[in-house]
Amino acid sequence: MTLSEIADGLEVTSRQRDRGVAVADDTETPLVDRLESHADDLPCTPAATATLVDAYTAGRSIGDAAREAGVAPMTGAKALHRCGVSGICPLAPSRRGVVRDWLDGRIARSEAVALSGGDDADFALATYVETHDPVPAVANAVDAHVAGTAPLGGGRGDRDDEALGGALGSPDGLR
């Protein structure tokens, strides 16, 4: 195959496709204020949700984050799911199919719980995840908040504690 055969059918255009304006969120609006307009879509208050997000993204477990926010762990998991945080469902994707089968009425609940391999709480949370999608506007606000406060990202710049605790050393030591 020659280059002319490979290039056959290719054409050059004089215009580029307009992809829109890139958006950067530098409003520094607190997360709780961003969540206020979506309070009806969240299983707990915007303040509790903001606390959950901060605690969970700082590395705490869902249970610890929920205690800090003053909500039940199940409510905390539901709120994090609605915020678009991935990995909240306790069941593997193949076992979530069992939940969908139960929701579609193909199998009995007791059979679905047994087949899912989890307990009643795991099954209840998986059912919530299957029946409630993350709220896109909330997920975008949480993503912007997490990206803006990430210890290694170009965050807000108001954090004195470096995430790696000085493990990288200074650039002067590289010479």
Side-chain angles (χ1 to χ4, degrees):
M1 181 176 274
T2 65
L3 286 177
S4 60
E5 291 173 335
I6 293 171
D8 188 35
L10 293 179
E11 61 184 61
V12 178
T13 61
S14 61
R15 294 184 304 182
Q16 291 183 344
R17 190 171 86 188
D18 183 18
R19 297 187 185 264
V21 178
V23 177
D25 185 5
D26 60 350
T27 60
E28 297 186 17
T29 303
L31 180 60
V32 68
D33 293 343
R34 294 180 191 181
L35 297 176
E36 285 293 335
S37 61
H38 304 285
D40 293 340
D41 296 326
L42 299 171
C44 57
T45 66
T49 302
T51 302
L52 278 163
V53 167
D54 286 340
Y56 186 74
T57 58
R60 293 189 186 93
S61 68
I62 292 174
D64 290 343
R67 270 189 291 285
E68 190 171 322
V71 297
M74 180 66 80
T75 303
K78 290 176 180 180
L80 289 170
H81 168 69
R82 296 290 277 178
C83 289
V85 175
S86 62
I88 299 299
C89 187
L91 300 181
S94 61
R95 297 195 180 213
R96 287 172 61 182
V98 173
V99 175
R100 287 188 291 273
D101 287 344
W102 172 69
L103 288 170
D104 292 340
R106 287 183 232 148
I107 58 176
R109 184 181 189 284
S110 58
E111 183 181 0
V113 171
L115 289 172
S116 71
D119 58 13
D120 284 332
D122 290 343
F123 189 80
L125 181 56
T127 300
Y128 185 86
V129 168
E130 290 297 322
T131 57
H132 295 78
D133 291 329
V135 180
V138 171
N140 289 340
V142 167
D143 285 345
H145 174 73
V146 171
T149 59
L152 295 177
R156 294 184 305 209
D158 61 353
R159 298 183 71 155
D160 291 334
D161 58 324
E162 189 175 328
L164 296 177
L168 295 177
S170 72
D172 295 335
L174 298 176
R175 294 185 187 166

